[in-house]
Amino acid sequence: MLHVGRPTVPQLVDLSRPQPQAVTVYQPLEPHRTDGTDVAAAIREPLRLALHRLAGTGVPSSARRAIADHVEALGRTASEGHCVAVFACPERAEAFVLPDHLAAEWRAGDRFDLGPLVRAVSSPQTAYAVTVGEEDWGLWWASGTAPVQAVTSGTRENMASFAGGVRYRLGQLWRALTWSRAFLMTRRSYLSAVARTVRARLEPFDPDYSAPMVVFGPPPLGDQLAARLPWRATVSPHDPATLRTSDIGRTLRGYAEARVRRQLSEHLARISDESLPGLPSRDVDEVARAAQHGRVDLLVYDSTASLRDASGADVLARIAVDVLARGGEVLAMEPDELHRGALDGPLLAHLRADVPDEPDDTWPLTARPGRPA
C-alpha cells in the first residue's frame, strides 16, 4: 500500500516486528514532478541488489518474485515528496512518500530497517514558505541540507479564476468602475484561493500544522495570507520579487534548525530536572528494558550510532519505537545537532521510578557495532 506522509506510531510498531525475508529501501525522489513517480521504477536498482542479497541467503525465487510483484503494485507517488521509503516482504509491501530528504540506502534481512524513518517521525527537518505578491505567489519546501524546491506557483488571475471564473470577470468590471473596493474583494478571493491550495498540498505531510512556515510578502499581503493559514506562520515583509532562491532556503533551514535545537534543549532540561520523579540513564540495556514496559518518558539518541543486535536489527530504532508506542517522547539527533557532551554515549533517557511487574528475557540484545547492508 502506498501512503502519503510520515507513518503513524501504530504503523511504526507494525513495521518493527520480526519479518523474515524483509527488504527495506530509502530512495530520494525528484521532488514535485507534476506526473508523480513510479515507485518500482524509482527503486529498481536498490531492489535488485536487495533481492540478490536474499538469493545469496537461500531465499527461494518464489518469495523474491512475490516481493517484486508487491513493489510493482504500489503504483505512482503523488507529485510531492522528497523520498520514498519502501518495506517489502513476500506477504506485502508498504511505501511512504515522505517530505523529508533521506539518504539512499537499502537493507535485506529479518527485520525492516526503521532507523531513518524513526528519525523522520521524531525529528522532522522540513519547513515551508509561501511567497505572495500582488499578482503572483509560490509555495516552497526545504528539508535538511537539500536545496529548497518550488512546489507550485500561480498568478492572481489564475487563482481568482479558479475560485470562480464568472465572479472574477464581474470583479474585473467592478474594478473598472470603483477601483479600490473591487480590488479589495479580488484580493480576498485571491488570498483565500492561495490558502486553500497550500493546505491541500501540505496537509497530507503535516496534518498537525507543526512544521515551520514562513510567509514572504509586503504588508498587508503577508499578514492577510498568514491569517488564513492554519500554521503558526512567521511573516517576513519582503517583496518576493527581490528574493533569491538561496535567501528562501537559508531562511527555512534556519527555522528548521532552530526548532530542533529548541526541542533538544527542552528534552535535556526535563531529563536533568531533579524535581521530576525517576532518573536519567545512558545504559542501552537498561533503557531498552524500561522502554518495553512503558517506563521511558523521554529519549534522546544519536541516530548515526550503529548498534545492531544478533539479527542485524537497529537497536536504537527498536528502542525508539517501543518508547513511542507506550506514549513516550523521542528525539533522534545527528552529532552536529547535539550539544557538546550532551550524551556521552549513543542515548540518554529519563526513566520513570516505577518498576515493571515482570522481567523480560528479550534483552539484552548483545548490541554490537553495525555493519553495512
Side-chain angles (χ1 to χ4, degrees), residues 169-184:
R169 298 304 173 193
L170 290 175
Q172 283 185 314
L173 176 62
W174 185 250
R175 178 165 55 181
L177 299 175
T178 55
W179 170 262
S180 60
R181 182 179 177 189
F183 180 76
L184 290 174

Side-chain angles (χ1 to χ4, degrees), residues 5-6 99 128 202-212 231 259:
R6 302 182 184 100
Y128 309 109
L202 299 186
E203 278 182 342
F205 298 100
D206 190 25
D208 56 357
Y209 313 116
S210 61
W231 289 266
R259 177 194 186 193

Side-chain angles (χ1 to χ4, degrees), residues 275-364:
S275 66
L276 295 177
L279 71 160
S281 176
R282 290 181 168 84
D283 184 274
V284 174
D285 284 339
E286 180 182 38
V287 173
R289 292 192 187 93
Q292 287 197 325
H293 293 280
R295 293 179 52 229
V296 179
D297 294 323
L298 298 169
L299 172 67
V300 179
Y301 75 96
D302 180 355
S303 63
T304 66
S306 187
L307 294 178
R308 303 277 170 181
D309 65 11
S311 69
D314 187 326
V315 172
L316 298 179
R318 180 178 169 186
I319 294 173
V321 172
D322 283 340
V323 173
L324 290 170
R326 290 159 179 80
E329 298 179 51
V330 172
L331 199 58
M333 308 294 291
E334 293 186 353
D336 59 351
E337 298 168 337
L338 291 164
H339 303 325
R340 186 180 300 276
L343 294 190
D344 291 331
L347 58 73
L348 175 62
H350 183 267
L351 311 186
R352 294 211 322 263
D354 49 319
V355 178
D357 296 328
E358 298 179 3
D360 191 288
D361 60 2
T362 62
W363 297 91

Side-chain angles (χ1 to χ4, degrees), residues 188-237:
R188 287 197 295 269
S189 175
Y190 165 53
L191 294 178
S192 295
V194 171
R196 285 195 297 271
T197 303
V198 170
R199 290 187 62 168
R201 301 298 287 266
L202 299 186
E203 278 182 342
F205 298 100
D206 190 25
D208 56 357
Y209 313 116
S210 61
M213 168 71 76
V214 182
V215 176
F216 295 95
L221 278 177
D223 295 294
Q224 291 173 346
L225 178 58
R228 289 168 164 79
L229 295 171
W231 289 266
R232 296 182 62 181
T234 300
V235 179
S236 178

